[in-house]
């Protein structure tokens, strides 16, 4: 598999508590065991290496609802390859990476806000609470050797534009560096991409997410 893709899979599995990947000729299959996210098929190829015939073959073999495909190509390219019963996320994601910096300065927490960091089961989590104690921002990271996967970065809609996303990201990446990680990887959304790029992350490939909802 592409090195960045495999790093993302390995870290995501730890972060979400998913089953170890079953390696396939085209990528890997990861079982989640949730009603709306039973299994995901992650293709190893990225960008121009993604092959229509391969994606079609895997998609056509899916018969159960709740199966996801993760394809590292633009949705406009992937969508015509999928048959009936597939829902394609209209918000195209992206696979991103960054070289982690060991001596990066910590972000300043705004006055009145509370930052909490803790680790459990190989995952480091960060929470920021607002002055009134309500949830303001969160995120988590899973370090798997030389790489670490950032996951589930969220900021409350009424707490945005206050630098909280930066606080969360820098706190997480510092924690990963302390665990020996050298490269960060994440699957980003359009909303989060601007934040990540402002912190030095770069796009490695677009990411299309598709879920099988059942044929009529």
């Amino acid at each position: 598999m592409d090195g960045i893709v495999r790093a993302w899979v390995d870290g995501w599995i730890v972060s979400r508590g998913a089953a170890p990947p079953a390696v396939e000729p085209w990528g890997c299959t990861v079982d989640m065991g949730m009603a709306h996210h039973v299994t995901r098929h992650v293709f190893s190829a990225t960008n121009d290496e993604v092959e229509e015939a391969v994606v079609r073959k895997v998609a056509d073999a899916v018969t159960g609802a709740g199966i996801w495909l993760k394809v590292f190509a633009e949705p406009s390219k992937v969508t015509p390859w999928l048959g009936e019963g597939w829902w394609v996320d209209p918000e195209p994601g992206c696979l991103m990476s960054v070289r982690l910096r060991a001596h990066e300065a910590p972000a300043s927490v705004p006055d009145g806000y509370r930052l909490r960091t803790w680790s459990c089961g190989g995952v480091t989590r960060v929470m920021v609470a607002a002055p009134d104690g309500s949830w303001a921002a969160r995120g988590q990271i899973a370090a798997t050797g030389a790489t670490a996967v950032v996951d589930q970065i969220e900021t409350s809609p009424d707490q945005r534009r206050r630098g909280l996303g930066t606080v969360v990201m820098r706190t997480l990446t510092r924690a990963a560096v302390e665990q020996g990680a050298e490269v960060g990887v994440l699957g980003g959304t359009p909303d989060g991409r601007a934040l990540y790029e402002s912190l030095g992350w770069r796009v490695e490939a677009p990411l299309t997410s598709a879920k099988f909802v059942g044929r009529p």
Side-chain angles (χ1 to χ4, degrees):
M1 295 184 70
D2 180 283
I4 295 295
V5 173
R6 185 55 195 257
W8 181 61
V9 170
D10 289 343
W12 190 90
I13 284 171
V14 174
S15 179
R16 301 294 181 94
V23 178
E24 309 282 358
W26 42 262
C28 68
T29 294
V30 178
D31 286 330
M32 284 294 297
M34 301 167 63
H36 300 290
H37 196 160
V38 183
T39 298
R40 59 167 46 188
H41 299 311
V42 184
F43 292 83
S44 60
T46 61
N47 300 302
D48 293 339
E49 300 291 320
V50 178
E51 298 181 12
E52 176 180 353
V54 175
V55 175
R56 282 185 179 275
K57 182 178 180 180
V58 175
D60 289 347
V62 173
T63 56
I67 309 298
W68 286 78
L69 300 182
K70 298 291 180 175
V71 187
F72 298 101
E74 294 286 354
S76 59
K77 181 178 181 180
V78 176
T79 300
W81 301 346
L82 307 179
E84 288 186 317
W86 286 97
W87 171 84
V88 178
D89 191 338
E91 297 289 331
C94 55
L95 182 67
M96 306 183 75
S97 71
V98 71
R99 175 67 60 176
L100 300 177
R101 293 172 289 186
H103 303 294
E104 183 177 47
S108 177
V109 182
D111 291 342
Y113 287 78
R114 178 171 63 90
L115 175 67
R116 176 78 187 278
T117 304
W118 69 96
S119 297
C120 182
V123 183
T124 298
R125 293 176 169 85
V126 168
M127 180 195 77
V128 180
D132 65 358
S134 62
W135 171 75
R138 71 167 308 279
Q140 59 198 59
I141 194 167
T144 54
T147 58
V149 170
V150 173
D151 192 23
Q152 296 190 319
I153 305 300
E154 299 178 75
T155 301
S156 173
D158 60 355
Q159 296 290 340
R160 291 173 180 170
R161 301 187 182 281
R162 304 184 187 186
L164 301 181
T166 297
V167 170
V168 169
M169 287 293 292
R170 287 188 174 173
T171 303
L172 289 173
T173 55
R174 282 173 63 87
V177 168
E178 291 173 358
Q179 297 174 56
E182 300 173 358
V183 175
V185 182
L186 61 80
T189 63
D191 286 343
R193 179 171 172 173
L195 166 65
Y196 307 139
E197 288 183 328
S198 73
L199 296 173
W201 292 69
R202 68 180 186 184
V203 174
E204 300 288 349
L207 170 57
T208 295
S209 296
K211 180 173 71 170
F212 189 69
V213 295
R215 296 184 177 90

